Amino acid sequence: MGFEKKDLDVVLVPSGLLIMFGYHLFLLYRYLHQPHTTVMGFENYNKRLWVQAIMQGERRDIGSCVSVISSNITAATYLSSVSLTLCSVIGAWISNNTNNFFESGLVYGDTDSTTVSIKYVSLLLFFLIAFSCFVQSARHFVHANYLISTPSLSVPLKRVEVAVIRGGDFWSAGIRALHFALNLLFWFFGPIPMFVCSIFMVLFLHYLDSSSTPLIEEFDGRQVVKKVEQRLSEMATAIHMPSHQN
């Protein structure tokens, strides 16, 4: 038996998925062991500084902080609604037994009804994962909103940091699931577009995920004021010393 066009799905589709999963495993390793080299690690570091500044600042500035968290909740809720809507559309499409474009001869690859069903189920799975991640992201941001707006000052700083960072992590996971769904969407047009999309998406994500920006150094404002006052006193002493010598 020779190599047929339907065999491309067996070779190119697993290869494309392997490239995507391999890149994200490499990204996860960098995120856990070298977080400063990734955009997510850089953003988490800035979020920690933001939480520390908010919790140590004046309570009258809480309104602006709550609005920042609320905007993240709104974005996560919107994308979760979009993901759920797409899941419903795909489910309705699967229940439709009529032939469509993706089963026609225009697609260079396996157009068998079983393969098409696998395409729909795979796409549906990643949209469901995205929906779940965005819901969890909104949940953690809502919890952070409660903690930040608590009138009591006894709320541990670590709890707020964990809630904000976990909300961002679930948000990133939901976005990644949408990237996988976009990749699988190209599979409907054949295994070759899907494989090409995998390569270009990995290159594009590597560019977006890499960070060479140095981390912001933490400092204490009171120490800065003390150093400035000390420097001014030294300058004043240096100015008065020549006059005393004369």
Side-chain angles (χ1 to χ4, degrees):
M1 294 180 63
F3 189 83
E4 300 180 0
K5 68 174 185 178
K6 66 179 181 179
D7 296 329
L8 291 174
D9 293 79
V10 181
V11 177
L12 295 182
V13 174
S15 300
L17 292 177
L18 183 61
I19 292 174
M20 291 287 291
F21 279 111
Y23 167 75
H24 282 88
L25 289 176
F26 173 69
L27 178 64
L28 180 61
Y29 175 82
R30 291 171 55 198
Y31 176 71
L32 295 177
H33 299 279
Q34 298 175 342
H36 61 280
T37 62
T38 63
V39 172
M40 291 184 294
F42 180 76
E43 290 176 350
N44 288 342
Y45 185 83
N46 291 335
K47 288 175 184 177
R48 290 190 181 96
L49 295 182
W50 179 76
V51 171
Q52 293 175 8
I54 293 306
M55 299 302 293
Q56 296 174 1
E58 299 182 2
R59 304 301 295 178
R60 63 184 180 182
D61 298 330
I62 295 300
S64 59
C65 309
V66 172
S67 64
V68 172
I69 299 295
S70 299
S71 63
N72 288 285
I73 296 173
T74 303
T77 305
Y78 173 76
L79 287 180
S80 64
S81 301
V82 171
S83 300
L84 186 61
T85 302
L86 291 175
C87 289
S88 302
V89 172
I90 294 173
W93 207 334
I94 293 176
S95 61
N96 188 7
N97 295 324
T98 58
N99 294 328
N100 50 58
F101 168 80
F102 301 115
E103 295 179 355
S104 65
L106 298 176
V107 178
Y108 191 81
D110 191 1
T111 57
D112 186 70
S113 59
T114 304
T115 304
V116 174
S117 299
I118 294 175
K119 295 178 182 180
Y120 282 127
V121 172
S122 302
L123 187 62
L124 178 62
L125 176 63
F126 278 100
F127 277 127
L128 287 175
I129 293 175
F131 167 75
S132 302
C133 291
F134 288 130
V135 169
Q136 289 298 319
S137 176
R139 169 179 169 267
H140 284 287
F141 280 130
V142 169
H143 183 58
N145 206 344
Y146 275 110
L147 294 176
I148 292 177
S149 59
T150 300
S152 176
L153 298 177
S154 60
V155 177
L157 181 64
K158 191 65 177 179
R159 289 187 181 179
V160 184
E161 290 182 2
V162 170
V164 173
I165 290 175
R166 283 185 179 177
D169 289 341
F170 276 109
W171 168 271
S172 300
I175 294 295
R176 299 292 160 166
L178 292 181
H179 287 155
F180 271 95
L182 177 62
N183 194 19
L184 290 174
L185 185 61
F186 276 88
W187 188 17
F188 285 92
F189 300 96
I192 297 178
M194 185 268 182
F195 182 75
V196 174
C197 177
S198 300
I199 296 176
F200 278 100
M201 186 169 291
V202 165
L203 296 176
F204 180 69
L205 290 178
H206 178 70
Y207 172 76
L208 294 180
D209 294 331
S210 299
S211 175
S212 59
T213 306
L215 298 178
I216 302 174
E217 296 184 357
E218 299 184 65
F219 65 92
D220 190 349
R222 291 173 293 183
Q223 295 295 331
V224 174
V225 172
K226 289 181 180 180
K227 290 182 180 180
V228 172
E229 292 178 351
Q230 183 180 0
R231 182 59 178 170
L232 290 176
S233 63
E234 292 176 356
M235 293 175 62
T237 304
I239 294 174
H240 288 297
M241 283 182 63
S243 62
H244 289 306
Q245 293 177 357
N246 294 332

